[in-house]
Amino acid sequence: MTPASPHLTRRVVVGAVATLALPSVALAQTPPTNPPLVGPLAPDPVAFKQALSTFTGSATPQAEGLQLDIPVLADNPSAVPIKAKVTLPITEHDWCEELIVLAELNPIPLACRLRFTAETGSAEAAVRIRLSQSQAVHVLARMKSGKLLAGKQTITVAASGCGM
């Protein structure tokens, strides 16, 4: 190939196409911004605060006495495993009456409500809940004596390729 008579070769064409394609490849790799959820999937902070205040009343929650086993990363947002266990002694005079799971940013925050009796013997549960997005999950337990136990874990939701 002489400078006066350039010929198109495969190498010249591939080089030109690669040079033109680089900006579009860089743009394609920028992470998409997640728009806020709207419609039926939108979070309901009012319902969350109402459910929390209805359960707690005027009691101050304590972290001791409630053991949580909740993943930090949920690879399947349709079935996030939640395990909770009241570690306080269960007696015939004091037992866990109720345990709830609240998902802070779900459209319906109350994900689970369990009731126990003195005959249950222990207060522990393993459930799977659906999460609409990455958020904090709260677990609260109310003892017969009025003592309130609370725990919280932030979960990052990794949505699947098919979405929700």
Side-chain angles (χ1 to χ4, degrees):
M1 185 161 88
T2 63
S5 63
H7 290 47
L8 286 180
T9 63
R10 186 178 341 157
R11 185 170 294 175
V12 172
V13 172
V14 169
V17 169
T19 303
L20 294 174
L22 283 177
S24 63
V25 169
L27 288 175
Q29 292 179 353
T30 58
T33 58
N34 293 334
L37 295 174
V38 294
L41 292 179
D44 191 352
V46 174
F48 171 73
K49 288 179 183 174
Q50 182 180 16
L52 190 62
S53 66
T54 300
F55 189 81
T56 58
S58 61
T60 303
Q62 68 180 35
E64 298 83 29
L66 185 62
Q67 177 184 347
L68 300 179
D69 184 11
I70 301 174
V72 177
L73 177 66
D75 57 351
N76 181 3
S78 295
V80 179
I82 308 289
K83 292 180 186 175
K85 179 180 182 179
V86 174
T87 58
L88 295 179
I90 304 294
T91 67
E92 60 184 43
H93 301 292
D94 193 24
W95 66 88
C96 177
E97 289 184 313
E98 190 172 16
L99 187 136
I100 65 169
V101 178
L102 297 171
E104 196 171 308
L105 297 177
N106 270 9
I108 301 172
L110 182 60
C112 182
R113 177 183 303 261
L114 300 163
R115 295 198 171 124
F116 302 94
T117 65
E119 291 81 29
T120 305
S122 67
E124 57 184 292
V127 298
R128 291 187 181 268
I129 65 171
R130 183 177 181 150
L131 296 179
S132 62
Q133 59 183 305
S134 298
Q135 59 185 292
V137 172
H138 301 258
V139 179
L140 297 118
R142 184 182 316 120
M143 301 296 288
K144 177 72 174 166
S145 63
K147 192 179 291 184
L148 190 67
L149 312 174
K152 172 174 120 172
Q153 174 67 49
T154 302
I155 300 174
T156 302
V157 170
S160 64
C162 299
M164 296 271 299

